[in-house]
């Protein structure tokens, strides 16, 4: 591919935002795959992928054959597990085959308006697509606040979703909205409910019934027929529909809105009217019933049970919570508000209060940042303890890390405004002795703050190792890393580092020590090793590369490789992405290549095209640190006479699903954070 083509205003944008689970490693993205699809104008034809542009390029035809599979090939999803409450061994998510991702692009392009229409039928739903999302380019001023390494971010490809959604991007926003408050004012009781394993229990065949009132085989060629067929073709081993990508939530929303309509109509036939006798709000599979009369509740649940059972769904009994007194607040909601106040207080700009001033000899000096690890953790524990002691770390960790992330950015902005003036003045030798001492104290206080914050982050991560918590931890630490590595413009011709090098090294050493401790203490599960490996991302920007010793990484590898589902494409290539061409990992590299060999050999079976094996071949060919002879050997194994052309073509692509060239962690984080989690 000779040039970069942004995909923001093309149909291929659906590949970026709709086809991958949010809970995935930071380094894995569809941005470059979308560019590839647009550049060559890739489409499906007779159960294979074909190019409509630049099709004369040598090796392209064979490359597409590998990417999409042969006609009639069984294209299995790549399934992996992530930690999830209610799933003992983790929840299974899916990356669908590249061929099916192109099919989804075509499906969205053909039916986007119809999808919107069928998602706007319910009075109950408070999260649904209502239009194709507008695109607005936004530039992030990372280059101003952080470092030269953090260039201005072009967000052409940081797309939240293909569609714009009403009305809440996160359920927490619903609790404080006027709809909730108005219902609370009008009704004396509320019951909260949740559907049990909603996505696993939705049958693909029932979409047509939800849309048209008859079976899928009675409407060939319709949107319902094609959507159902796609879900079947994905060949995931889970029952129900594919779990993880946004398109499945739209699929579920169509079905759930049909159930909403059934409930409302049946209740109205029985003389029970919405907004008068009850109000029901549904956020995806979470429901909130407001009512005064218990008989109304009984009839609602009876009707709801019946409507759900027709689609193989049911209410999760243990998640039914009754609120008989206003305000309708759960213990968890109270705890979150208390945590919010705690973080606001502890992450305040101390210069705005008298707390920020201490005595230094005869002069007053301000201390803008300060946090104590032990005190903060104990305060969190006190909030969670309460009277009933029912709230656990896993209930609040992601929320807590999210608000810490927001407040950290705000604190960095405040600190930067003050510290920059002292640093620039010091470099220009126009600062007083007192000013120099203030600068030195600023540096020490700020680095101490960072050290305590990093300890806090790893404490909470160690208590709750999930994909969301690991991504937030990586995001916060990377912001600190970029900030301390930044430069100030001290004159028209020169720059000065923000912090002395020894402070940067001290911070790097702290991060490495905490990562090593996490790896040593983690209890291996098939659903938490990938989340832990995500933390290796922050090591990639260290001043001294690969501070994690081979011994520690090898120790972690020994844990991973014997766990079912833990050893997969993500874990193998996360490690390869980390070690690059570093020395000291010879034995580990050998075992990684053995796994790769096995996956690629499986592609010699022309009857199947497993997504994991396809991704392994593609990224092996693109990776600059895998031996060239091995790459050529793989090409020969799979393409024989056309191997040279395939090898040459793959080298031109450089990046497809993993960015090997010019990788910047802050850019990867911005993209994955742009994808909203419902």
């Amino acid at each position: 591919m000779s040039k970069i083509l942004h995909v923001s205003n093309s149909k291929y944008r659906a590949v970026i935002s709709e086809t991958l689970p949010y809970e995935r490693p930071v380094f894995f993205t569809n941005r470059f795959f979308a560019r590839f699809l647009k550049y060559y104008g890739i489409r499906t034809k007779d159960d294979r992928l074909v190019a409509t542009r630049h099709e004369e390029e040598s090796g392209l035809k064979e490359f597409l054959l590998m990417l999409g599979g042969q006609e009639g090939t069984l294209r299995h999803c790549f399934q992996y597990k992530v930690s999830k409450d209610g799933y003992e061994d983790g929840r299974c998510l899916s990356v669908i085959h590249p061929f099916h991702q192109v099919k989804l692009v075509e499906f969205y392009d053909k039916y986007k308006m119809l999808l919107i229409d069928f998602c706007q039928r319910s009075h109950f739903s408070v999260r649904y697509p209502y239009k194709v999302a507008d695109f607005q380019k936004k530039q992030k001023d990372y280059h101003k606040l952080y470092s030269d390494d953090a260039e201005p971010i072009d967000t052409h490809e940081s797309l939240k979703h293909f569609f714009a959604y009403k009305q809440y991007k996160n359920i927490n926003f619903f609790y404080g909205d006027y709809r909730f408050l108005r219902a609370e004012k009008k009704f004396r009781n509320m019951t909260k409910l949740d559907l049990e394993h909603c996505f696993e229990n939705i049958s693909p065949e029932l979409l047509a019934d939800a849309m048209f009132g008859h079976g899928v085989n009675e409407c060939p060629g319709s949107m319902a027929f094609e959507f159902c067929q796609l879900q079947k073709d994905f060949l995931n081993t889970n029952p129900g529909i594919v779990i993880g990508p946004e398109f499945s939530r739209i699929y579920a929303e169509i079905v759930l809105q049909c159930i909403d309509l059934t409930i409302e109509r049946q209740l109205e036939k029985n003389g029970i009217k919405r907004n008068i006798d009850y109000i029901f709000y549904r956020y995806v599979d979470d429901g909130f019933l407001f009512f005064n009369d218990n008989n109304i509740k009984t009839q609602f649940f009876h009707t709801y049970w019946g409507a759900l059972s027709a689609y193989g769904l049911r209410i999760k009994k243990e998640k039914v919570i009754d609120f008989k007194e206003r305000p309708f607040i759960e213990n968890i909601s109270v705890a979150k508000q208390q945590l919010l106040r705690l973080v606001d207080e502890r992450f305040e700009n101390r210069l705005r209060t008298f707390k920020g001033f201490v005595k230094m000899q005869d002069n007053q000096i301000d201390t803008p940042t300060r946090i104590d690890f032990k005190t903060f953790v104990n305060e969190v524990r006190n909030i969670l303890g309460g009277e009933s002691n029912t709230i656990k770390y896993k209930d609040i960790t992601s929320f807590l890390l999210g608000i810490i992330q927001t407040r950290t950015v705000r604190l960095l902005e405040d600190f930067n405004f003050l510290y920059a003036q002292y640093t620039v003045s010091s470099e220009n030798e126009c600062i007083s002795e007192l000013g120099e001492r203030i600068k030195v104290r600023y540096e020490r206080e700020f680095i101490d703050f960072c050290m305590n914050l990093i300890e806090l982050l790893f404490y909470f991560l160690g208590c709750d190792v999930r994909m969301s918590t690991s991504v937030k931890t990586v995001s916060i630490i990377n912001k600190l890393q970029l900030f301390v590595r930044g430069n100030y413009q001290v004159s028209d011709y020169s720059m000065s580092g923000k912090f002395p090098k020894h402070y940067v090294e001290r911070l790097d050493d702290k991060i490495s020590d905490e990562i090593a401790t996490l790896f040593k203490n983690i209890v291996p599960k098939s659903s938490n090793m990938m989340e832990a490996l995500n933390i290796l991302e922050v090591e990639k920007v260290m001043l001294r590369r690969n501070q994690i010793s081979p011994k520690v990484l090898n120790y972690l590898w020994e844990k991973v490789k014997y766990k079912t589902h833990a050893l997969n494409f993500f874990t193998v290539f996360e490690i390869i992405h980390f070690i690059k061409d570093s020395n000291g990992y010879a034995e580990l590299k050998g075992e990684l290549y053995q796994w790769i060999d096995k996956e690629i050999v499986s592609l010699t079976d022309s009857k199947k095209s497993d997504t994991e094996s396809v991704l392994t071949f593609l990224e092996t060919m693109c990776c600059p640190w895998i031996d060239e002879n091995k790459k050529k050997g793989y090409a020969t194994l799979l393409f024989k006479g056309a191997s040279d052309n395939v090898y040459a073509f793959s080298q031109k692509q450089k990046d497809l699903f993993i960015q090997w060239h010019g990788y910047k962690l802050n850019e990867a984080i911005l993209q994955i954070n742009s994808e909203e989690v419902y």
Side-chain angles (χ1 to χ4, degrees):
M1 218 164 39
S2 60
K3 70 176 189 175
I4 293 176
L5 293 176
H6 294 297
V7 298
S8 57
N9 294 316
S10 81
K11 65 182 181 180
Y12 296 109
R13 61 184 285 190
V15 165
I16 296 177
S17 61
E18 307 298 295
T19 61
L20 293 182
Y22 167 81
E23 292 173 300
R24 65 180 192 272
V26 171
F27 73 94
F28 189 78
T29 176
N30 264 3
R31 285 188 297 150
F32 307 102
F33 181 48
R35 293 179 189 177
F36 173 88
L37 296 177
K38 182 174 182 179
Y39 182 78
Y40 291 104
I42 304 299
R43 65 180 181 88
T44 63
K45 181 182 179 181
D46 299 330
D47 200 39
R48 57 191 175 90
L49 296 181
V50 297
T52 59
R53 293 192 293 271
H54 313 292
E55 57 267 40
E56 72 284 350
E57 284 194 31
S58 178
L60 173 60
K61 183 179 179 181
E62 291 81 6
F63 193 85
L64 290 179
L65 186 63
M66 173 55 62
L67 184 67
Q70 301 181 21
E71 293 184 40
T73 297
L74 298 175
R75 302 177 177 95
H76 293 271
C77 289
F78 163 40
Q79 296 184 292
Y80 61 99
K81 290 190 174 183
V82 297
S83 298
K84 176 75 173 177
D85 190 29
Y87 297 81
E88 185 175 345
D89 197 33
R91 192 183 198 190
C92 193
L93 305 184
S94 297
V95 176
I96 62 174
H97 196 281
F99 175 85
H100 291 136
Q101 294 191 40
V102 179
K103 291 285 285 187
L104 253 297
V105 166
E106 296 170 342
F107 180 85
Y108 266 60
D109 191 48
K110 183 178 180 180
Y111 292 114
K112 52 183 177 288
M113 302 312 298
L114 198 56
L115 286 169
I116 292 171
D117 287 343
F118 275 97
C119 288
Q120 295 191 67
R121 301 184 294 166
S122 170
H123 292 117
F124 297 160
S125 180
V126 293
R127 187 199 186 262
Y128 57 90
Y130 74 101
K131 69 172 186 176
V132 176
D134 298 324
F135 172 77
Q136 291 182 331
K137 181 180 177 182
K138 299 178 182 179
Q139 292 286 339
K140 306 292 184 180
D141 292 334
Y142 271 54
H143 60 302
K144 296 179 181 179
L145 179 60
Y146 298 110
S147 79
D148 298 334
D149 207 29
E151 299 170 353
I153 301 299
D154 184 351
T155 58
H156 273 103
E157 295 162 333
S158 294
L159 308 171
K160 291 183 183 297
H161 293 303
F162 186 88
F163 297 110
Y165 283 77
K166 284 187 177 181
Q167 300 170 3
Y168 310 103
K169 66 179 184 180
N170 189 285
I171 195 170
N172 292 315
F173 291 95
F174 171 63
Y175 288 114
D177 188 70
Y178 78 93
R179 288 176 177 80
F180 188 96
L181 299 176
R182 185 179 60 189
E184 187 179 56
K185 177 182 177 182
K186 187 174 182 178
F187 296 97
R188 295 188 299 274
N189 304 297
M190 185 191 81
T191 296
K192 182 183 175 184
L193 55 93
D194 188 11
L195 302 185
E196 186 171 13
H197 297 171
C198 177
F199 291 84
E200 292 97 322
N201 291 322
I202 290 180
S203 172
E205 287 86 358
L206 293 176
L207 183 66
D209 186 70
M211 295 176 65
F212 307 121
H214 51 70
V216 66
N217 293 326
E218 299 177 41
C219 52
S222 68
M223 185 190 85
F225 184 88
E226 289 190 32
F227 213 168
C228 171
Q229 192 58 51
L230 268 175
Q231 288 282 359
K232 289 181 177 180
D233 289 345
F234 294 152
L235 296 178
N236 76 105
T237 57
N238 287 332
I241 60 178
V242 165
I243 301 172
E246 180 62 26
F247 70 79
S248 282
R249 284 188 274 278
I250 292 176
Y251 195 103
E253 182 64 23
I254 294 173
V255 173
L256 293 173
Q257 288 211 10
C258 177
I259 295 172
D260 293 345
L261 291 172
T262 300
I263 297 168
E264 185 177 358
R265 291 167 182 169
Q266 187 61 49
L267 289 173
E268 193 165 359
K269 285 182 181 179
N270 296 335
I272 301 173
K273 296 183 178 181
R274 181 179 60 88
N275 289 334
I276 297 176
D277 300 303
Y278 75 98
I279 290 177
F280 182 68
Y281 292 119
R282 179 182 54 76
Y283 186 93
V284 191
D285 54 354
D286 290 311
F288 304 84
L289 175 66
F290 299 85
F291 60 96
N292 288 322
D293 189 340
N294 280 324
N295 289 327
I296 299 294
K297 174 191 172 184
T298 301
Q299 292 191 59
F300 180 91
F301 267 74
H302 177 76
T303 306
Y304 202 12
W305 274 106
L308 288 171
S309 62
Y311 289 88
L313 301 174
R314 60 182 179 270
I315 298 170
K316 196 171 186 177
K317 293 182 179 180
E318 56 268 30
K319 285 289 188 76
V320 176
I321 304 173
D322 292 313
F323 298 84
K324 298 181 180 181
E325 293 184 4
R326 291 172 285 193
F328 304 139
I329 303 175
E330 296 180 86
N331 290 338
I332 184 72
S333 299
V334 175
K336 285 181 177 180
Q337 288 300 314
Q338 293 174 329
L339 290 170
L340 183 60
R341 288 193 292 271
L342 172 65
V343 174
D344 279 339
E345 181 181 341
R346 294 293 178 265
F347 283 70
E348 66 184 346
N349 179 3
R350 294 170 58 85
L351 298 184
R352 296 175 181 171
T353 71
F354 286 108
K355 298 176 185 176
F357 293 92
V358 297
K359 290 285 185 178
M360 179 180 279
Q361 296 180 354
D362 296 326
N363 302 297
Q364 284 192 322
I365 275 194
D366 41 15
T367 56
T369 53
R370 184 174 293 169
I371 191 170
D372 181 71
F373 164 75
K374 184 177 72 173
T375 302
F376 190 93
V377 169
N378 283 330
E379 287 174 321
V380 172
R381 293 171 70 180
N382 288 336
I383 290 172
L384 300 188
E387 295 181 2
S388 58
N389 196 28
T390 59
I391 305 173
K392 302 176 181 169
Y393 277 133
K394 64 180 177 62
D395 299 322
I396 57 88
T397 313
S398 186
F399 172 82
L400 178 61
L401 293 176
I403 57 177
I404 288 176
Q405 178 175 320
T406 303
R407 302 306 185 267
T408 298
V409 172
R410 185 188 301 172
L411 196 60
L412 291 179
E413 291 171 347
D414 285 350
F415 178 81
N416 188 66
F417 176 77
L418 293 164
Y419 180 66
Q421 300 175 58
Y422 287 103
T423 302
V424 173
S425 297
S426 178
E427 290 295 322
N428 290 325
E429 299 180 347
C430 57
I431 190 172
S432 67
E433 181 183 350
L434 176 61
E436 188 66 39
R437 286 193 292 152
I438 291 174
K439 173 182 174 295
V440 171
R441 188 173 183 98
Y442 273 9
E443 292 168 351
R444 187 173 67 249
E445 289 280 345
F446 179 79
I447 296 300
D448 286 344
F449 165 80
C450 290
M451 300 287 278
N452 277 285
L453 177 56
I454 289 167
E455 195 165 2
L456 274 176
L457 295 174
F458 277 97
Y459 173 84
F460 290 116
L461 177 63
C463 295
D464 182 20
V465 183
R466 281 184 290 156
M467 193 60 71
S468 62
T469 56
S470 69
V471 170
K472 287 184 173 70
T473 301
V474 169
S475 179
I476 298 168
I477 293 175
N478 185 240
K479 286 176 170 61
L480 298 179
Q481 290 176 309
L482 293 177
F483 185 80
V484 300
R485 284 162 166 76
N487 296 297
Y488 290 126
Q489 187 84 39
V490 298
S491 71
D492 293 339
Y493 309 102
S494 64
M495 305 285 289
S496 172
K498 287 183 181 178
F499 287 84
K501 186 177 178 180
H502 70 273
Y503 277 139
V504 180
E505 292 178 346
R506 182 185 171 197
L507 196 64
D508 284 351
D509 289 340
K510 177 66 173 176
I511 295 168
S512 291
D513 290 344
E514 292 289 347
I515 293 175
T517 301
L518 177 72
F519 285 176
K520 289 176 181 177
N521 294 331
I522 192 169
V523 178
K525 301 177 183 177
S526 58
S527 60
N528 69 356
M529 303 311 294
M530 187 171 63
E531 293 92 326
L533 283 169
N534 226 8
I535 302 298
L536 284 176
E537 293 293 318
V538 296
E539 290 275 353
K540 296 173 183 176
V541 295
M542 294 292 191
L543 205 63
R544 299 189 295 268
R545 273 281 297 133
N546 295 346
Q547 291 186 302
I548 290 288
S549 70
K551 182 179 179 181
V552 173
L553 196 56
N554 281 316
Y555 177 74
L556 184 68
W557 173 251
E558 289 298 315
K559 291 183 177 182
V560 171
K561 68 181 183 180
Y562 295 116
K563 293 299 295 183
T564 306
H565 294 292
L567 180 57
N568 57 31
F569 168 82
F570 283 149
T571 54
V572 168
F573 279 87
E574 175 63 78
I575 295 174
I576 292 174
H577 201 254
F578 170 72
I579 62 180
K580 295 183 178 180
D581 56 353
S582 303
N583 297 321
Y585 297 95
E587 185 177 348
L588 175 57
K589 286 181 180 178
E591 294 193 66
L592 293 172
Y593 292 154
Q594 286 179 18
W595 184 90
I596 291 172
D597 289 343
K598 184 179 178 181
E599 287 296 314
I600 292 178
V601 167
S602 72
L603 292 172
T604 57
D605 184 352
S606 60
K607 296 180 180 180
K608 64 176 184 177
S609 178
D610 288 346
T611 301
E612 186 172 22
S613 300
V614 172
L615 293 175
T616 299
F617 173 77
L618 296 173
E619 294 307 323
T620 297
M621 299 302 288
C622 291
C623 177
W625 302 298
I626 291 179
D627 182 75
E628 298 301 308
N629 290 325
K630 288 190 75 68
K631 294 181 183 181
K632 292 178 181 179
Y634 294 143
T636 301
L637 174 69
L638 299 176
F639 297 98
K640 297 181 172 58
S643 61
D644 289 344
N645 293 338
V646 173
Y647 172 79
F649 182 85
S650 65
Q651 299 310 290
K652 287 194 319 181
Q653 306 315 307
K654 295 188 176 182
D655 305 309
L656 267 179
F657 298 93
I658 298 174
Q659 186 176 7
W660 300 104
H661 306 82
Y663 178 75
K664 288 185 172 62
L665 177 56
N666 65 299
E667 290 184 4
I669 289 172
L670 279 173
Q671 175 167 3
I672 205 165
N673 282 340
S674 74
E675 302 170 25
E676 297 174 356
V677 185
Y678 79 95

